[in-house]
Coordinates of all heavy atoms in Angstrom, one line a residue:
M1 N 44.1 135.6 96.6 CA 45.1 136.0 97.5 C 44.7 137.2 98.3 O 44.4 138.2 97.7 CB 46.4 136.2 96.7 CG 47.5 136.9 97.4 SD 49.0 137.1 96.5 CE 48.5 138.1 95.1
E2 N 44.9 137.1 99.6 CA 44.6 138.3 100.5 C 45.8 139.1 100.6 O 46.9 138.6 100.9 CB 44.1 137.8 101.9 CG 42.8 137.2 101.9 CD 42.3 136.9 103.3 OE1 43.1 136.9 104.2 OE2 41.1 136.6 103.5
T3 N 45.6 140.5 100.5 CA 46.7 141.4 100.7 C 46.3 142.4 101.7 O 45.1 142.7 101.9 CB 47.1 142.1 99.3 OG1 46.0 142.9 98.9 CG2 47.4 141.1 98.3
R4 N 47.3 143.0 102.3 CA 47.1 144.1 103.2 C 48.0 145.3 102.8 O 49.0 145.2 102.2 CB 47.6 143.7 104.6 CG 46.7 142.6 105.2 CD 47.1 142.3 106.6 NE 46.6 143.4 107.5 CZ 46.7 143.3 108.8 NH1 47.4 142.3 109.4 NH2 46.2 144.3 109.6
V5 N 47.5 146.5 103.2 CA 48.3 147.7 103.0 C 49.1 147.9 104.3 O 48.6 147.8 105.4 CB 47.4 148.9 102.7 CG1 48.2 150.2 102.6 CG2 46.7 148.6 101.4
A6 N 50.4 148.3 104.1 CA 51.2 148.5 105.3 C 52.2 149.6 105.0 O 52.5 149.9 103.8 CB 51.9 147.3 105.7
V7 N 52.8 150.2 106.0 CA 53.9 151.1 105.9 C 55.1 150.5 106.7 O 54.9 150.2 107.8 CB 53.5 152.5 106.4 CG1 54.7 153.4 106.3 CG2 52.4 153.1 105.7
I8 N 56.2 150.4 106.0 CA 57.4 150.0 106.6 C 58.3 151.2 106.8 O 58.7 151.8 105.8 CB 58.1 148.9 105.8 CG1 57.2 147.7 105.5 CG2 59.4 148.4 106.4 CD1 57.7 146.6 104.6
S9 N 58.7 151.4 108.0 CA 59.6 152.5 108.4 C 61.0 152.0 108.6 O 61.2 151.0 109.4 CB 59.1 153.3 109.6 OG 57.8 153.8 109.4
I10 N 62.0 152.6 108.0 CA 63.4 152.0 108.1 C 64.3 153.2 108.4 O 64.2 154.3 107.8 CB 63.8 151.5 106.7 CG1 62.8 150.4 106.2 CG2 65.2 150.9 106.8 CD1 62.9 150.0 104.8
I11 N 65.2 153.0 109.4 CA 66.3 153.9 109.7 C 67.6 153.2 109.5 O 67.8 152.1 110.0 CB 66.2 154.4 111.1 CG1 64.8 155.2 111.3 CG2 67.4 155.3 111.5 CD1 64.6 155.7 112.7
V12 N 68.4 153.8 108.6 CA 69.7 153.2 108.2 C 70.8 154.0 108.9 O 70.9 155.2 108.6 CB 69.9 153.2 106.7 CG1 71.2 152.6 106.3 CG2 68.7 152.5 106.0
E13 N 71.5 153.4 109.8 CA 72.6 154.1 110.5 C 74.0 153.6 109.9 O 75.0 154.3 110.2 CB 72.6 153.7 112.0 CG 71.3 154.3 112.6 CD 71.2 153.8 114.1 OE1 72.0 153.0 114.6 OE2 70.3 154.3 114.7
N14 N 74.0 152.6 109.1 CA 75.2 152.0 108.5 C 75.1 152.2 107.0 O 74.4 151.4 106.3 CB 75.4 150.6 108.9 CG 76.6 149.9 108.4 OD1 77.4 150.6 107.6 ND2 76.9 148.7 108.7
P15 N 75.8 153.1 106.4 CA 75.7 153.4 105.0 C 76.2 152.2 104.1 O 75.8 152.1 103.0 CB 76.6 154.6 104.7 CG 77.4 154.8 106.0 CD 76.7 154.1 107.1
Q16 N 77.0 151.3 104.7 CA 77.4 150.1 104.0 C 76.3 149.1 103.7 O 76.5 148.3 102.8 CB 78.6 149.5 104.7 CG 79.8 150.4 104.8 CD 80.9 149.8 105.7 OE1 80.6 148.9 106.6 NE2 82.1 150.2 105.5
T17 N 75.2 149.3 104.3 CA 74.1 148.3 104.1 C 73.1 148.8 103.0 O 72.2 148.0 102.6 CB 73.3 148.1 105.4 OG1 72.7 149.3 105.8 CG2 74.2 147.5 106.5
V18 N 73.3 150.0 102.5 CA 72.3 150.6 101.6 C 72.2 149.8 100.3 O 71.1 149.5 99.8 CB 72.7 152.1 101.3 CG1 71.9 152.6 100.1 CG2 72.6 152.9 102.5
E19 N 73.3 149.3 99.8 CA 73.2 148.5 98.6 C 72.5 147.2 98.8 O 71.6 146.8 98.0 CB 74.7 148.2 98.1 CG 74.7 147.5 96.7 CD 76.1 147.3 96.2 OE1 77.0 148.1 96.5 OE2 76.3 146.4 95.4
T20 N 72.7 146.5 99.9 CA 72.0 145.3 100.2 C 70.5 145.6 100.4 O 69.6 144.9 100.0 CB 72.6 144.6 101.5 OG1 74.0 144.4 101.2 CG2 71.9 143.3 101.8
L21 N 70.2 146.7 101.2 CA 68.8 147.1 101.4 C 68.1 147.3 100.1 O 67.0 146.9 99.9 CB 68.8 148.3 102.3 CG 67.4 148.9 102.5 CD1 66.4 148.0 103.2 CD2 67.5 150.2 103.3
N22 N 68.7 148.1 99.2 CA 68.1 148.4 97.9 C 67.8 147.1 97.1 O 66.8 146.9 96.4 CB 68.9 149.3 97.1 CG 68.8 150.8 97.6 OD1 67.7 151.1 98.1 ND2 69.8 151.5 97.4
S23 N 68.7 146.1 97.2 CA 68.6 144.8 96.5 C 67.4 144.1 97.1 O 66.6 143.5 96.3 CB 69.9 144.0 96.7 OG 69.7 142.8 96.1
V24 N 67.2 144.1 98.4 CA 66.1 143.4 99.0 C 64.8 144.1 98.6 O 63.8 143.4 98.2 CB 66.2 143.4 100.6 CG1 65.0 142.9 101.2 CG2 67.4 142.5 101.0
L25 N 64.8 145.4 98.6 CA 63.6 146.1 98.2 C 63.2 145.9 96.8 O 62.0 145.8 96.4 CB 63.7 147.6 98.5 CG 63.8 148.1 99.9 CD1 64.1 149.5 100.1 CD2 62.5 147.7 100.7
H26 N 64.2 145.8 95.9 CA 64.0 145.5 94.5 C 63.3 144.1 94.3 O 62.4 144.0 93.5 CB 65.3 145.5 93.8 CG 65.1 145.2 92.3 ND1 64.6 146.2 91.4 CD2 65.4 144.1 91.5 CE1 64.6 145.6 90.2 NE2 65.1 144.4 90.3
E27 N 63.6 143.1 95.2 CA 63.0 141.8 95.1 C 61.5 141.9 95.4 O 60.7 141.1 94.9 CB 63.6 140.9 96.1 CG 65.0 140.5 95.7 CD 65.6 139.6 96.8 OE1 64.9 138.7 97.3 OE2 66.8 139.7 97.1
Y28 N 61.1 142.9 96.1 CA 59.7 143.0 96.5 C 59.0 144.2 95.7 O 57.9 144.6 96.1 CB 59.5 143.3 98.0 CG 59.9 142.1 98.8 CD1 61.2 141.7 99.2 CD2 58.9 141.2 99.3 CE1 61.5 140.6 99.9 CE2 59.2 140.1 100.1 CZ 60.5 139.8 100.3 OH 60.8 138.7 101.1
G29 N 59.6 144.6 94.7 CA 59.2 145.7 93.9 C 57.7 145.6 93.4 O 57.1 146.6 93.2
D30 N 57.3 144.4 93.1 CA 55.9 144.2 92.6 C 54.9 144.6 93.6 O 53.7 144.9 93.2 CB 55.7 142.8 92.1 CG 56.5 142.4 90.9 OD1 56.9 143.3 90.2 OD2 56.6 141.2 90.6
Y31 N 55.2 144.6 94.9 CA 54.3 144.9 95.9 C 54.4 146.3 96.4 O 53.5 146.8 97.1 CB 54.5 144.0 97.1 CG 54.3 142.5 96.9 CD1 55.4 141.6 97.1 CD2 53.1 142.0 96.5 CE1 55.2 140.3 96.9 CE2 52.9 140.6 96.3 CZ 54.0 139.8 96.5 OH 53.8 138.4 96.2
I32 N 55.5 147.0 96.1 CA 55.7 148.3 96.7 C 54.9 149.4 95.9 O 55.0 149.5 94.7 CB 57.2 148.7 96.6 CG1 58.0 147.7 97.6 CG2 57.5 150.1 97.0 CD1 59.5 147.9 97.6
I33 N 54.1 150.1 96.7 CA 53.3 151.2 96.1 C 54.1 152.4 95.9 O 54.0 153.1 94.9 CB 52.1 151.5 97.0 CG1 51.2 150.3 97.3 CG2 51.3 152.6 96.5 CD1 50.3 150.4 98.4
G34 N 54.9 152.8 96.9 CA 55.7 154.0 96.8 C 56.8 153.9 97.9 O 56.8 153.1 98.8
R35 N 57.8 154.8 97.7 CA 59.0 154.8 98.6 C 59.4 156.3 98.7 O 59.4 157.0 97.8 CB 60.1 154.0 98.0 CG 61.4 154.1 98.7 CD 62.4 153.3 98.0 NE 63.7 153.5 98.5 CZ 64.8 152.7 98.3 NH1 64.7 151.7 97.5 NH2 65.9 153.0 98.9
M36 N 59.8 156.6 100.0 CA 60.3 158.0 100.2 C 61.5 157.8 101.1 O 61.5 157.2 102.1 CB 59.3 158.8 101.0 CG 59.8 160.2 101.3 SD 58.6 161.2 102.2 CE 58.3 160.3 103.7
G37 N 62.6 158.5 100.6 CA 63.9 158.4 101.4 C 64.3 159.8 101.8 O 64.2 160.7 100.9
I38 N 64.7 160.0 103.0 CA 65.2 161.3 103.5 C 66.6 161.1 104.1 O 66.7 160.4 105.1 CB 64.2 161.8 104.6 CG1 62.8 162.0 104.0 CG2 64.7 163.2 105.1 CD1 61.8 162.2 105.1
P39 N 67.6 161.7 103.5 CA 68.9 161.6 104.1 C 69.0 162.7 105.2 O 68.8 163.9 104.9 CB 69.9 162.0 103.0 CG 69.1 162.7 102.0 CD 67.6 162.3 102.2
Y40 N 69.3 162.3 106.4 CA 69.4 163.3 107.5 C 70.9 163.4 107.8 O 71.4 162.7 108.7 CB 68.6 162.8 108.7 CG 68.4 163.7 109.8 CD1 68.8 165.1 109.8 CD2 67.8 163.3 111.0 CE1 68.6 165.9 110.8 CE2 67.6 164.2 112.1 CZ 68.0 165.5 112.0 OH 67.8 166.4 113.0
R41 N 71.5 164.2 107.0 CA 73.0 164.3 107.1 C 73.5 164.7 108.4 O 74.6 164.3 108.9 CB 73.5 165.2 106.0 CG 73.3 164.6 104.6 CD 73.7 165.6 103.5 NE 73.4 165.0 102.2 CZ 72.2 165.2 101.5 NH1 71.3 165.9 102.1 NH2 72.0 164.7 100.4
E42 N 72.9 165.6 109.1 CA 73.3 166.1 110.4 C 73.5 165.0 111.4 O 74.4 165.0 112.3 CB 72.4 167.2 111.0 CG 72.4 168.5 110.2 CD 71.5 168.4 109.0 OE1 70.6 167.5 108.9 OE2 71.6 169.3 108.1
K43 N 72.6 164.0 111.3 CA 72.6 162.9 112.3 C 73.3 161.6 111.7 O 73.4 160.6 112.3 CB 71.2 162.5 112.7 CG 70.5 163.6 113.4 CD 71.1 163.9 114.8 CE 70.3 165.0 115.4 NZ 70.7 165.3 116.8
K44 N 73.7 161.7 110.4 CA 74.3 160.6 109.6 C 73.4 159.4 109.6 O 73.9 158.2 109.8 CB 75.7 160.3 110.2 CG 76.6 161.4 110.1 CD 78.0 161.0 110.5 CE 79.0 162.1 110.2 NZ 79.5 162.9 111.2
V45 N 72.1 159.6 109.3 CA 71.2 158.5 109.1 C 70.3 158.7 107.9 O 70.2 159.9 107.4 CB 70.2 158.3 110.4 CG1 71.0 157.9 111.6 CG2 69.3 159.5 110.6
N46 N 69.7 157.7 107.4 CA 68.8 157.8 106.3 C 67.5 157.2 106.8 O 67.4 156.2 107.4 CB 69.2 157.0 105.1 CG 70.5 157.6 104.4 OD1 70.4 158.8 104.0 ND2 71.6 156.9 104.4
I47 N 66.4 157.9 106.5 CA 65.0 157.5 106.9 C 64.3 157.2 105.6 O 64.2 158.0 104.7 CB 64.3 158.7 107.7 CG1 65.2 159.1 108.9 CG2 62.9 158.2 108.1 CD1 64.9 160.5 109.4
I48 N 63.7 156.0 105.6 CA 63.0 155.5 104.4 C 61.6 155.0 104.9 O 61.5 154.3 105.9 CB 63.8 154.3 103.8 CG1 65.2 154.8 103.4 CG2 63.0 153.8 102.5 CD1 66.1 153.6 103.0
S49 N 60.6 155.4 104.1 CA 59.3 154.9 104.3 C 58.8 154.1 103.0 O 59.0 154.6 101.9 CB 58.3 156.0 104.5 OG 58.6 156.6 105.8
I50 N 58.3 152.9 103.2 CA 57.8 152.1 102.1 C 56.3 151.8 102.3 O 55.9 151.3 103.3 CB 58.6 150.7 102.1 CG1 60.1 150.9 102.1 CG2 58.1 149.9 100.9 CD1 60.6 151.5 100.8
A51 N 55.5 152.2 101.3 CA 54.1 151.8 101.3 C 54.0 150.6 100.5 O 54.5 150.5 99.4 CB 53.3 152.9 100.7
I52 N 53.3 149.6 101.0 CA 53.3 148.3 100.4 C 51.9 147.7 100.4 O 51.2 147.9 101.4 CB 54.3 147.3 101.0 CG1 54.5 146.0 100.3 CG2 54.0 147.1 102.5 CD1 55.7 145.2 100.7
D53 N 51.5 146.9 99.4 CA 50.3 146.2 99.4 C 50.6 144.7 99.0 O 50.9 144.5 97.8 CB 49.3 146.8 98.4 CG 47.9 146.1 98.4 OD1 47.7 145.2 99.2 OD2 47.1 146.5 97.5
A54 N 50.6 143.8 100.0 CA 51.1 142.5 99.7 C 50.5 141.5 100.7 O 49.9 141.9 101.7 CB 52.6 142.5 99.9
P55 N 50.6 140.2 100.4 CA 50.2 139.2 101.4 C 50.9 139.4 102.8 O 52.1 139.8 102.8 CB 50.5 137.9 100.8 CG 50.6 138.2 99.3 CD 51.1 139.6 99.2
Q56 N 50.2 139.1 103.8 CA 50.8 139.3 105.2 C 52.2 138.6 105.3 O 53.1 139.2 105.8 CB 49.8 138.7 106.2 CG 50.4 138.6 107.6 CD 50.4 140.0 108.3 OE1 49.4 140.7 108.2 NE2 51.4 140.3 109.0
N57 N 52.3 137.4 104.8 CA 53.6 136.7 104.9 C 54.7 137.4 104.2 O 55.9 137.3 104.6 CB 53.4 135.2 104.6 CG 53.1 135.0 103.1 OD1 52.3 135.8 102.5 ND2 53.5 133.9 102.5
E58 N 54.4 138.0 103.0 CA 55.4 138.7 102.3 C 55.9 140.0 103.0 O 57.1 140.3 103.0 CB 54.9 139.1 100.9 CG 54.6 137.9 100.0 CD 55.9 137.1 99.5 OE1 57.0 137.7 99.6 OE2 55.7 135.9 99.2
I59 N 54.9 140.7 103.6 CA 55.3 141.9 104.4 C 56.2 141.5 105.5 O 57.2 142.1 105.8 CB 54.0 142.6 104.8 CG1 53.2 143.1 103.6 CG2 54.4 143.8 105.7 CD1 51.8 143.7 104.0
S60 N 55.8 140.4 106.2 CA 56.6 140.0 107.4 C 58.0 139.5 107.0 O 59.0 139.8 107.6 CB 55.9 138.8 108.1 OG 54.7 139.3 108.7
A61 N 58.0 138.8 105.8 CA 59.3 138.3 105.3 C 60.2 139.5 105.0 O 61.4 139.5 105.3 CB 59.1 137.4 104.1
L62 N 59.7 140.5 104.3 CA 60.5 141.7 103.9 C 61.0 142.4 105.2 O 62.1 142.8 105.3 CB 59.6 142.6 103.1 CG 60.3 144.0 102.7 CD1 61.6 143.8 102.0 CD2 59.3 144.8 101.9
S63 N 60.1 142.7 106.1 CA 60.5 143.3 107.4 C 61.6 142.6 108.1 O 62.5 143.1 108.6 CB 59.3 143.5 108.3 OG 58.3 144.4 107.7
G64 N 61.4 141.2 108.1 CA 62.4 140.4 108.8 C 63.8 140.5 108.1 O 64.8 140.6 108.8
R65 N 63.8 140.4 106.8 CA 65.1 140.5 106.1 C 65.7 141.9 106.3 O 67.0 141.9 106.5 CB 64.8 140.3 104.6 CG 64.5 138.8 104.3 CD 64.4 138.5 102.8 NE 65.6 138.8 102.1 CZ 65.7 138.7 100.8 NH1 64.6 138.5 100.1 NH2 66.8 138.9 100.2
I66 N 64.9 142.9 106.3 CA 65.5 144.3 106.5 C 66.1 144.4 107.9 O 67.1 144.9 108.2 CB 64.4 145.4 106.3 CG1 64.1 145.4 104.8 CG2 64.9 146.7 106.7 CD1 62.9 146.2 104.5
G67 N 65.3 143.8 108.9 CA 65.7 143.9 110.3 C 67.0 143.2 110.6 O 67.7 143.4 111.6
K68 N 67.4 142.2 109.8 CA 68.6 141.5 110.0 C 69.9 142.2 109.5 O 71.0 141.8 109.8 CB 68.5 140.1 109.3 CG 67.6 139.2 109.9 CD 67.5 137.8 109.2 CE 66.5 136.9 109.9 NZ 66.3 135.7 109.1
L69 N 69.7 143.3 108.7 CA 70.8 144.0 108.2 C 71.4 144.8 109.4 O 70.8 145.4 110.2 CB 70.3 145.0 107.1 CG 69.8 144.3 105.9 CD1 69.2 145.4 104.9 CD2 70.8 143.5 105.2
Q70 N 72.8 144.8 109.4 CA 73.5 145.5 110.5 C 73.3 147.0 110.3 O 73.5 147.6 109.3 CB 75.0 145.1 110.4 CG 75.8 145.7 111.5 CD 77.3 145.3 111.4 OE1 77.7 144.7 110.4 NE2 78.0 145.6 112.4
G71 N 73.0 147.6 111.4 CA 72.8 149.1 111.5 C 71.5 149.6 110.9 O 71.4 150.7 110.5
V72 N 70.5 148.7 110.8 CA 69.2 149.1 110.2 C 68.1 148.7 111.2 O 68.1 147.6 111.8 CB 69.0 148.3 108.9 CG1 67.6 148.7 108.3 CG2 70.1 148.7 107.9
S73 N 67.2 149.7 111.5 CA 66.1 149.4 112.3 C 64.8 149.5 111.4 O 64.8 150.3 110.5 CB 66.0 150.5 113.4 OG 67.1 150.6 114.2
V74 N 63.8 148.6 111.8 CA 62.6 148.6 110.9 C 61.4 148.4 111.8 O 61.5 147.7 112.8 CB 62.7 147.5 109.9 CG1 62.8 146.1 110.5 CG2 61.6 147.5 108.9
K75 N 60.3 149.0 111.5 CA 59.0 148.9 112.1 C 58.0 148.9 111.1 O 58.1 149.6 110.1 CB 58.7 150.0 113.1 CG 59.6 150.1 114.3 CD 59.4 148.9 115.3 CE 60.3 149.0 116.5 NZ 60.2 147.9 117.3
T76 N 56.9 148.1 111.3 CA 55.9 148.0 110.3 C 54.5 148.3 110.9 O 54.2 147.8 112.0 CB 55.8 146.6 109.7 OG1 57.1 146.3 109.1 CG2 54.8 146.4 108.6
A77 N 53.7 149.1 110.2 CA 52.4 149.4 110.7 C 51.4 148.9 109.6 O 51.6 149.2 108.4 CB 52.2 150.9 110.9
Y78 N 50.4 148.1 110.0 CA 49.5 147.5 109.1 C 48.1 148.2 109.2 O 47.7 148.6 110.2 CB 49.2 146.0 109.5 CG 50.4 145.1 109.4 CD1 51.3 145.0 110.5 CD2 50.7 144.5 108.2 CE1 52.4 144.1 110.4 CE2 51.8 143.7 108.1 CZ 52.7 143.5 109.2 OH 53.8 142.7 109.1
S79 N 47.5 148.3 108.0 CA 46.1 148.8 108.0 C 45.2 147.6 108.3 O 45.6 146.4 108.2 CB 45.8 149.4 106.6 OG 45.5 148.3 105.7
G80 N 44.0 147.9 108.6 CA 43.0 146.9 108.9 C 42.3 146.4 107.6 O 41.5 145.5 107.6
V81 N 42.7 147.0 106.5 CA 42.0 146.7 105.2 C 42.7 145.5 104.6 O 43.9 145.5 104.3 CB 42.1 147.9 104.2 CG1 41.5 147.6 102.9 CG2 41.5 149.1 104.8
I82 N 41.9 144.4 104.4 CA 42.4 143.2 103.7 C 41.5 143.0 102.5 O 40.3 143.1 102.5 CB 42.2 142.0 104.7 CG1 43.0 142.2 105.9 CG2 42.6 140.7 103.9 CD1 42.8 141.1 107.0
T83 N 42.2 142.9 101.4 CA 41.5 142.7 100.1 C 41.9 141.4 99.5 O 42.9 140.8 99.7 CB 41.9 143.8 99.1 OG1 43.3 143.9 98.9 CG2 41.4 145.2 99.6
N84 N 40.9 140.8 98.7 CA 41.2 139.6 97.9 C 41.5 140.0 96.5 O 40.7 140.6 95.9 CB 40.0 138.7 98.0 CG 39.8 138.1 99.4 OD1 40.8 137.5 99.9 ND2 38.6 138.1 99.9
E85 N 42.6 139.5 96.0 CA 42.9 139.8 94.6 C 43.1 138.6 93.8 O 43.5 137.6 94.3 CB 44.2 140.7 94.6 CG 44.0 142.0 95.2 CD 45.2 143.0 95.0 OE1 46.0 142.7 94.1 OE2 45.2 144.0 95.7

């Protein structure tokens, strides 16, 4: 199975979606290397970075599911490193 390392950047503007977002991230927990969340209270947003090592289709699926959440923006940056596991 080929995997890639990527960083998924998430901005949450709707606090009501946090529970759903956490549930989605939990489903992909086997692939997640690390997670950093920053509450930016002055602007009423949460900024989350996810480091992930997963097959390309799993990364795309996760990003797509996150992007469908109301009040959530997502962008993904992929490394050029592809490994066979």
Side-chain angles (χ1 to χ4, degrees):
M1 167 176 60
E2 288 186 345
T3 65
R4 293 184 78 176
V5 174
V7 176
I8 301 173
S9 300
I10 306 164
I11 297 178
V12 180
E13 297 174 355
N14 180 357
Q16 296 173 337
T17 62
V18 171
E19 188 174 330
T20 305
L21 174 61
N22 283 329
S23 177
V24 171
L25 292 175
H26 181 73
E27 290 178 38
Y28 291 83
D30 290 343
Y31 299 120
I32 294 175
I33 301 165
R35 171 181 174 169
M36 178 181 61
I38 303 169
Y40 191 5
R41 290 179 186 88
E42 293 83 12
K43 300 291 183 176
K44 296 187 170 112
V45 298
N46 293 299
I47 303 159
I48 302 169
S49 293
I50 306 292
I52 189 167
D53 185 2
Q56 173 75 45
N57 62 327
E58 295 290 340
I59 298 170
S60 296
L62 174 57
S63 295
R65 288 182 65 188
I66 293 169
K68 289 180 182 177
L69 298 174
Q70 184 178 9
V72 178
S73 301
V74 63
K75 294 289 180 186
T76 305
Y78 295 92
S79 77
V81 178
I82 300 173
T83 55
N84 289 312
E85 293 188 17

